[in-house]
Amino acid sequence: MSVLARTAASARLQASQFARDVVSGLTAARKTLPAKYFYDDRGSALFEAITTLPEYYPTRTELGILEARAGEIAALMPPGAALIELGSGSTTKARILLRRRAIAAYVPVDISAGFLKREAARLRHDLPWLRIVPVAADFTKPFELPPEIRARSRVGFFPGSTIGNFEPADAAEFLRHAGRLLGPGARLVVGVDLVKDTAVLNAAYDDAAGVTAAFNLNLLSRINAELGADFDLDCFRHAAFFNRAESRIEMHLVSRDAQQVHVADRTISFGRGETIHTENSYKYTIESFRALAAAAGWSPLAVWTDAQAYFSVHALRFSHA
Ligand code: SAH
Ligand code: AVI
């Protein structure tokens, strides 16, 4: 098969997987949609806008920790290692580590293929000495590391508290899987958002400018555009709140009225006030995250937080699967 035919076949396969996941989520007793589908081109741009909001403390707090601790973090990396970032987005955080030149190769992995390609090009321009091998993949599915880095030691980088978007059992499974992918003795640097005051958490996911609302609603625009659905965006509103019993922010899209929507040959009925649960963002303590990591075979090397203890960055070492 030619490269073009293979690319077209893989795009069709991804589209049908998207359709299956959307139909299965919207026909469940409690309607839900997988958060990974937020990240089309527009979703990635909206997420970048979220990271600069005054209410969204995680990005600036984690950047502060990484800037302050870059020397200590770099010291944990074997010289000439490859840095593999899971969900690389804008690569802003990786740049802090890459600039120190302990790392010889960088593998940004992201599901948002167009965004990834543009960010990799920007990085190549800015750090011309670095070997950059982007991988467009869904990291919840098995994927191969590129052959270019097979001979190198591997350091995983998983910032942003993206781990919080998994159910805790799935997060442990994911960490186990990451350990197997990176290999025995591998290091992982992972950013984890911490449990805190409810008002601070709620504001971070329901900002005054409505950017998070636009990010959430964009999922419906994407389903309309890619699956020919007829969601009326004015008939849904964004809702986000901290569920302390579950230790997670929940994001929902709330149907403003009783209505019917057509998606991929299905008619989906909504009651007034019924919600589509679109995202969980789990918040951990340092101890609860360490326990989760230990169950997945990762031992603690170090942990750093900010002065308010809003966010944590853990360095871990993989010992067994
Ligand atoms: N690491 C960056 C971006 C975090 S946002 C930071 O800390 O700022 C989460 C990123 O993970 C997005 O870029 C999104 O496209 C990507 N992502 C989400 N689910 C994914 C999946 N299942 N597979 C691969 N990438 C995913
Ligand atoms: C990518 N992820 C860690 C973000 C979070 O905080 O859970 C996604 C997000 N959702 C709403 N705002 C940001």
Side-chain angles (χ1 to χ4, degrees):
M1 214 191 283
S2 73
V3 172
L4 269 181
R6 219 167 36 235
T7 310
S10 133
R12 273 198 303 277
L13 206 71
Q14 279 167 26
S16 63
Q17 183 64 52
F18 181 38
R20 277 198 298 278
D21 289 348
V22 167
V23 167
S24 126
L26 294 181
T27 53
R30 284 170 186 243
K31 294 182 174 62
T32 175
L33 288 169
K36 66 184 179 189
Y37 292 122
F38 280 135
Y39 303 94
D40 61 357
D41 265 358
R42 181 155 184 268
S44 292
L46 283 166
F47 177 74
E48 285 315 305
I50 288 174
T51 64
T52 65
L53 291 169
E55 296 95 331
Y56 196 74
Y57 63 84
T59 306
R60 64 171 177 276
T61 310
E62 187 179 27
L63 281 170
I65 298 170
L66 292 172
E67 296 277 8
R69 305 296 187 164
E72 286 165 75
I73 297 171
L76 294 170
M77 302 190 177
L83 187 73
I84 295 129
E85 180 169 3
L86 301 160
S88 48
S90 67
T91 77
T92 310
K93 292 168 189 165
R95 283 167 182 259
I96 297 172
L97 306 180
L98 296 169
R99 268 189 224 112
R100 304 191 79 91
R101 295 198 181 217
I103 292 289
Y106 174 55
V107 181
V109 180
D110 209 288
I111 199 167
S112 193
F115 194 75
L116 172 71
K117 200 171 161 199
R118 289 190 291 279
E119 291 305 319
R122 238 168 29 94
L123 198 60
R124 262 189 207 110
H125 174 268
D126 297 345
L127 306 180
W129 46 266
L130 183 70
R131 175 106 212 197
I132 301 167
V133 196
V135 174
D138 176 347
F139 56 49
T140 62
K141 304 267 155 59
F143 68 92
E144 300 275 312
L145 288 178
E148 290 92 326
I149 63 136
R150 273 200 196 124
R152 298 189 180 277
S153 322
R154 291 103 190 244
V155 179
F157 187 42
F158 198 25
S161 207
T162 306
I163 190 86
N165 298 133
F166 287 97
E167 289 301 306
D170 295 341
E173 183 50 39
F174 179 78
L175 289 177
R176 223 169 274 128
H177 170 74
R180 278 187 227 114
L181 183 77
L182 298 171
R187 266 73 163 146
L188 180 67
V189 177
V190 53
V192 183
D193 197 14
L194 297 173
V195 176
K196 61 184 63 61
D197 181 65
T198 302
V200 175
L201 286 166
N202 285 347
Y205 291 84
D206 195 6
D207 61 281
V211 183
T212 311
F215 174 71
N216 200 4
L217 283 159
N218 179 56
L219 189 48
L220 302 185
S221 306
R222 181 176 186 186
I223 295 170
N224 283 348
E226 294 184 25
L227 303 179
D230 59 359
F231 278 104
D232 179 345
L233 270 60
D234 292 334
C235 295
F236 288 85
R237 68 176 173 82
H238 165 74
F241 55 88
F242 186 53
N243 176 340
R244 195 165 284 275
E246 298 286 349
S247 201
R248 69 187 189 204
I249 285 279
E250 293 185 14
M251 288 213 315
H252 295 259
L253 289 163
V254 186
S255 176
R256 291 184 189 273
D257 233 317
Q259 57 178 316
Q260 290 194 326
V261 177
H262 303 97
V263 186
D265 299 335
R266 299 290 184 112
T267 301
I268 313 286
S269 298
F270 288 88
R272 184 193 178 91
E274 187 178 355
T275 82
I276 310 172
H277 189 166
T278 50
E279 188 181 58
N280 286 320
S281 192
Y282 280 86
K283 308 303 167 188
Y284 289 90
T285 61
I286 287 174
E287 297 71 30
S288 67
F289 183 73
R290 277 193 164 166
L292 181 100
W298 291 92
S299 341
L301 290 173
V303 62
W304 303 278
T305 66
D306 55 292
Q308 297 185 97
Y310 270 13
F311 201 91
S312 60
V313 175
H314 296 248
L316 306 168
R317 183 176 185 281
F318 192 59
S319 29
H320 61 85

